[in-house]
Amino acid sequence: MYYFLNQYIKAFNSSVEHVEFHRLALFKHERLHAKIVTRDFDTMEYLNAANFGLKQDDILNMYDYFQGTTDVKEKQTSTKGLNIPISYQLKYDSDVSKAYQGGRLAQTIHHTPSRVGEISSVEHYDEFGNIANRELWDSRGFHSASQFLDYDGAPHAEILYHLDGTRALERFWEVTDDRKGKVIFNIHLINYKGNDYYFNSEEELFTFFLDEINTQDKDETTFIADRPGVADIPLVNMKTKAKKYLFFPILHAANPEDLINSPLEPSYEEVFKHLDKLDGLITMTDAQARQLRIRLKRQKGKGRNIKITSIPGVAFSNKQLKEPQVPMANRPGNKVLYVGRLGADKGVDNLIRAFALVTPQVPDATLDIRGFGDQEFVKSLEDLIQQLNLQNNVTISGYTPEIQPVYDSAKVFASAAHQDAFPLAMAEALAHGLPLVAFDTNFGPGEIIKDKVNGFLLEPGDLYGYSQTIISLLTKNTVLQRTSENSYLDSKNYSYPKVWKKWKNVLLSKSNTK
């Protein structure tokens, strides 16, 4: 069995999750048993995962495992099953229904998004109008947990149930030292295999969980830690023997300008002390692999000679690679596309500034920005669009799960990131024949883009040159079509057979750990 270790699957996902989606499809194509393993308790996880084509059996959640709900037949829920007292007056709404006792609000019933009338949670109010406790329902149709809330509406205690209503776990929170939030300080695993267990954190429970699922498999198990700071330490703390790999979805150093000597990215500081407990490191680019080898050769202690392998974060099926090509002449308008997280390190603000130099020469050019990010930063982008008078040319369209048709509607893929371990969307854009424009920064652009062949690499910060490149592509049909055809051709570098060959070399090697 192959387990890809993560924290969650959300409605809006980062490249960490999307890399796992690609990898899972590849492993399933090779008829290998693989699952995405998630740590966090989330009643919406399976509904979110289904929106990305994942089935219940593709995921193994830690809390589901201990609740005995990993294989549940879905059923519909409704207010009829809540046993609301007959004396309450119920007012229905599509998102939130309310139950009143006389003039007092007694319950609010939150409905599952996209599922009319189904139950997501029920909040119960005390006589003073405060939420006293909250009942949580899993999107698959069962009562999953009860939360007991403080005055601020945050839980201080929680009970998680088995399907028969008996207690599976209890969780307790305490206020942090800076009094700005709460953290879990105790988890009680109840009558698990005849014993009770207590843990001081989710990290400890996650380690216990990994050991438990490891002992279930008769054959050798392989774990790949994908989420930095969440999956890596539980992996190295496991007591049972398995093959263990650390995957790098981000840069390993805090300073992208000095990847060898600068301090480590904080998420990696602790796990780098335990490299001897891992079978290998996996990066998504050859450049990052080289930098890591140099860095580790300079450090003392165990793990300095650990095997480091580069494997791309995408993989395209033969079916996808054989999809009919969309000629540039058949793509209406002059749409430039950005797909990715909206953060300062992604340089989306500079992309907008560069686009302000494009529109005077290509008035009908549009920039479609797809992704999610911190609300404050997104607001700053919206303000910038207003300041540059680009309201008719630049749109922040938000996160789009079904992104394939959007790629096919664009003419250019643009990225202005200051740093990136591997720009996943850029590689995906190749498979849709998009010419690529990006700054030549660490790490991915230089390995995905062949300058002047399938796209163009610019010196970091050269906004004028960047804008002129986009103008050239949008106004020179011959160049646009030629680079598009080369993008389609180069997407074959990420075919299932080629990417699987790299994985096969890693997975079939002997374990170095005990």
Side-chain angles (χ1 to χ4, degrees):
M1 178 64 79
Y2 299 91
Y3 293 118
F4 312 148
L5 308 185
N6 204 338
Q7 185 176 359
Y8 44 58
I9 296 175
K10 295 289 189 181
F12 296 172
N13 290 297
S14 69
S15 60
V16 177
E17 288 74 49
H18 284 279
V19 165
E20 288 183 328
F21 300 160
H22 276 279
R23 189 192 306 152
L24 182 65
L26 172 62
F27 277 44
K28 290 173 71 174
H29 177 267
E30 296 298 327
R31 299 183 179 181
L32 298 177
H33 295 293
K35 292 179 184 290
I36 297 174
V37 174
T38 56
R39 186 198 71 177
D40 288 5
F41 175 70
D42 184 357
T43 57
M44 295 294 293
E45 180 165 88
Y46 288 90
L47 180 58
N48 292 333
N51 291 331
F52 295 92
L54 300 184
K55 298 179 180 179
Q56 187 172 222
D57 192 50
D58 292 328
I59 308 164
L60 180 59
N61 176 264
M62 176 174 73
Y63 288 102
D64 268 324
Y65 176 83
F66 292 122
Q67 289 178 270
T69 54
T70 57
D71 184 15
V72 175
K73 185 177 181 180
E74 291 191 29
K75 63 179 182 180
Q76 290 186 333
T77 57
S78 70
T79 55
K80 293 180 180 179
L82 294 179
N83 298 318
I84 297 173
I86 194 170
S87 60
Y88 285 13
Q89 299 83 47
L90 192 58
K91 293 186 177 181
Y92 293 97
D93 193 270
S94 58
D95 297 321
V96 181
S97 297
K98 296 181 179 181
Y100 294 87
Q101 186 182 28
R104 180 182 74 86
L105 179 62
Q107 297 178 6
T108 55
I109 304 161
H110 296 264
H111 299 295
T112 305
S114 75
R115 293 186 175 181
V116 179
E118 295 198 29
I119 310 303
S120 174
S121 65
V122 180
E123 295 170 338
H124 300 267
Y125 293 80
D126 62 22
E127 59 186 20
F128 302 105
N130 301 311
I131 302 176
N133 65 290
R134 179 185 295 121
E135 304 296 330
L136 302 179
W137 292 72
D138 191 277
S139 60
R140 291 167 290 170
F142 60 88
H143 182 214
S144 185
S146 299
Q147 293 182 336
F148 304 91
L149 312 179
D150 283 332
Y151 65 91
D152 59 357
H156 63 81
E158 181 180 58
I159 302 169
L160 281 67
Y161 301 106
H162 295 292
L163 282 176
D164 63 5
T166 57
R167 298 186 178 201
L169 303 103
E170 296 173 336
R171 304 198 297 178
F172 302 90
W173 282 259
E174 64 180 356
V175 178
T176 56
D177 292 339
D178 60 9
R179 307 193 69 80
K180 293 183 178 180
K182 290 182 176 180
V183 293
I184 292 174
F185 76 94
N186 183 264
I187 301 174
H188 177 198
L189 179 57
I190 302 169
N191 195 26
Y192 176 69
K193 296 182 178 179
N195 294 298
D196 281 21
Y197 297 87
Y198 295 87
F199 304 90
N200 294 320
S201 66
E202 283 189 299
E203 184 177 282
E204 288 185 8
L205 178 61
F206 200 33
T207 299
F208 178 81
F209 164 63
L210 297 181
D211 278 320
E212 286 297 295
I213 62 175
N214 188 35
T215 56
Q216 290 182 356
D217 295 316
K218 296 179 181 178
D219 298 325
E220 185 177 56
T221 306
T222 298
F223 293 88
I224 301 169
D226 288 312
R227 174 63 65 178
V230 172
D232 41 16
I233 300 306
L235 179 65
V236 298
N237 285 340
M238 287 177 62
K239 295 181 175 62
T240 54
K241 183 179 179 181
K243 293 183 74 174
K244 304 166 186 175
Y245 295 92
L246 180 65
F247 190 84
F248 287 83
I250 60 176
L251 300 190
H252 56 274
N255 181 3
E257 303 301 323
D258 187 3
L259 295 165
I260 295 174
N261 300 304
S262 78
L264 287 165
E265 204 283 334
S267 299
Y268 292 122
E269 287 181 354
E270 184 62 27
V271 73
F272 263 62
K273 301 174 185 176
H274 307 282
L275 295 182
D276 58 306
K277 296 182 179 180
L278 297 171
D279 288 280
L281 308 180
I282 302 172
T283 66
M284 290 187 282
T285 62
D286 292 336
Q288 187 171 15
R290 287 194 296 271
Q291 296 281 0
L292 273 170
R293 290 189 189 103
I294 296 171
R295 185 184 187 105
L296 292 179
K297 286 294 182 183
R298 294 184 177 185
Q299 78 174 30
K300 298 179 180 179
K302 298 177 180 179
R304 63 192 302 267
N305 294 316
I306 190 170
K307 184 177 180 180
I308 304 173
T309 307
S310 170
I311 305 176
V314 297
F316 302 127
S317 67
N318 189 47
K319 179 182 177 181
Q320 184 173 357
L321 292 174
K322 286 189 174 182
E323 287 287 330
Q325 296 186 8
V326 182
M328 283 295 156
N330 293 354
R331 305 188 190 207
N334 281 313
K335 182 195 288 186
V336 177
L337 178 66
Y338 167 82
V339 177
R341 181 171 53 82
L342 306 184
D345 59 317
K346 297 300 183 181
V348 185
D349 53 339
N350 280 336
L351 179 55
I352 294 170
R353 292 186 181 94
F355 209 73
L357 302 176
V358 172
T359 54
Q361 296 189 51
V362 189
D364 67 335
T366 59
L367 173 60
D368 188 1
I369 299 172
R370 303 272 175 157
F372 71 99
D374 176 76
Q375 289 186 352
E376 185 175 341
F377 183 75
V378 174
K379 178 63 167 58
S380 72
L381 296 179
E382 293 171 343
D383 291 342
L384 181 61
I385 292 169
Q386 293 280 341
Q387 292 166 13
L388 297 175
N389 198 28
L390 292 171
Q391 302 94 310
N392 296 327
N393 300 89
V394 180
T395 304
I396 300 178
S397 303
Y399 183 84
T400 309
E402 186 54 49
I403 195 68
Q404 309 307 322
V406 181
Y407 284 126
D408 285 334
S409 69
K411 286 186 175 177
V412 176
F413 183 90
S415 171
H418 303 300
Q419 60 189 54
D420 206 325
F422 184 83
L424 183 72
M426 186 182 293
E428 290 180 340
L430 280 180
H432 295 270
L434 288 180
L436 311 174
V437 180
F439 293 124
D440 190 9
T441 55
N442 293 324
F443 280 110
E447 295 193 17
I448 297 174
I449 297 176
K450 295 179 182 176
D451 192 32
K452 299 180 180 61
V453 178
N454 63 10
F456 297 85
L457 285 169
L458 285 302
E459 285 295 318
D462 181 9
L463 297 186
Y464 178 77
Y466 194 102
S467 65
Q468 295 307 301
T469 299
I470 292 177
I471 291 169
S472 178
L473 282 167
L474 295 180
T475 56
K476 297 179 180 179
N477 295 334
T478 302
V479 176
L480 184 69
Q481 183 59 37
R482 173 175 55 80
T483 50
S484 173
E485 291 170 358
N486 289 333
S487 289
Y488 276 121
L489 182 65
D490 287 340
S491 67
K492 296 178 181 179
N493 294 329
Y494 305 101
S495 68
Y496 274 4
K498 289 187 177 181
V499 177
W500 173 243
K501 183 178 180 180
K502 293 177 178 289
W503 275 111
K504 189 176 179 181
N505 290 336
V506 172
L507 301 177
L508 296 185
S509 61
K510 292 183 178 181
S511 177
N512 298 319
T513 57
K514 297 181 179 179

